Amino acid sequence: MNIVKISTYFLFFSYIWFFVESGSYVSLLKLFSVFVFAFALLIGLRNVFKKRLIPKMKTWVFLFFFNLLGSITSLYSEDPKGSLVVLFGLNLYFLIFHLCGYRFSLSKEKLVEFNGILIKISLLLVTYALGSNPALTLSQFHTLFIDRIRVYGTFVHPNELGITSFVSLIACFINLKLYSKRKYKVFMLLAMAYFFTCMILSDSRGALYSFLLFLGVYYLLAFMKQLSSKYEKFIPPLVMLLVAVCYAFMHRGIFTDEQAIGKFSTGRLGNWKVVWDYFITNDPYHFLFGYGLNGVDKLQAMGFYTDNGYLVWMYEAGLFNTILVLLVLINLLRKNILSKSFNTFGVAIFCSYMVYTTIENLLTSFGILASFYCWLVMYTALFEHKVHINKKRVKQKEVIAETKSKSA
């Protein structure tokens, strides 16, 4: 077992254990595992540092402005040291995404192996959390919304079980599609049934709807890829039907009525409005540069659990850095669309993740499992297209060399 595989087991164990049992030592364990994983990736890729692994100029430009804006935000925050530590941590995560994306692009077997480790650790810790205290598991209620029975065992919160199930289901689905052995497929289907049951028990609607969106986008893209030119005429009516369905929902007030949005977001809308009106837009400087990259702690101390990744990052980093991060995500979407063999997974993950982060603080909270996993897999598309082109060139060179040898 190589160092990368060992560090991956350690990483996912610490990430999910953080959900199962809270405490300062668990946070330190998770932080240590991230450093170990980054070091293992550097060691594992020490012999394959090539030109395509070196970031392009636009990546350096992004990192320059990201750190410049992050430094301005930190220096004028209430806790400059803590904010700069978070900024350093974000840079470490971007390094991990870059290295891991490159690794996955070289071989889909690496991604299958990575997902397999996540699935094994999830099965172990979810089963432990749900089975270690049966009485608690069977009688757990959500204290605020008493009509919702939410089973979560020893997880810190039902949504943590939902997040773990969401990520594990995506990992199972990808492996189901990429790995062909029948016995393995049966195991993946059983694992998916188990994680989906856990998601339903947690009653995490954000996780459920986001996963269903992932499936819907994946199968829609897969269907469109299979269409030959003679069936392309059906694409515009499908798009029009989708628009009509969205309009019907809007007409019913699901997206426009505040009460409906509040109910759908489980009461989050009130927090969002207060944070936006009284903390973000009340001061020009904070609107542009935020309160500090660890500023969400202040909100939580006052009882504002915003659970919206876009709003939290806007509060912490300000408008300029929020636009910067969204531009990076749009670029990742573009790369995933252009990738030859991975676009159905990448685009589906992007869409589900962008929806999920509207009701959970996931946009740049890389210490949360869903955020870490989705960014990491989406990064694969940055290299996948180049690897495909390079393989094509190598084949062409081999054909030319073989032709010359025959003619000689």
Side-chain angles (χ1 to χ4, degrees), residues 130-139:
L130 293 179
S132 60
N133 193 345
L136 180 69
T137 301
L138 295 174
S139 61

Side-chain angles (χ1 to χ4, degrees), residues 53-73:
L53 185 56
I54 299 172
K56 287 186 174 181
M57 180 56 67
K58 60 183 177 183
T59 300
W60 292 113
V61 170
F62 158 71
L63 289 172
F64 172 78
F65 282 106
F66 182 82
N67 285 284
L68 176 64
L69 292 169
S71 298
I72 294 171
T73 297

Side-chain angles (χ1 to χ4, degrees), residues 360-378:
E360 292 288 352
N361 180 17
L362 299 176
L363 186 67
T364 55
S365 298
F366 302 138
I368 298 176
L369 184 64
S371 193
F372 176 80
Y373 180 83
C374 291
W375 273 84
L376 192 124
V377 176
M378 286 190 296

Side-chain angles (χ1 to χ4, degrees), residues 291-312:
Y291 286 82
L293 303 186
N294 58 341
V296 73
D297 295 339
K298 179 183 175 182
L299 281 181
Q300 292 176 347
M302 292 186 291
F304 292 105
Y305 294 92
T306 53
D307 290 333
N308 182 313
Y310 306 104
L311 191 69
V312 168

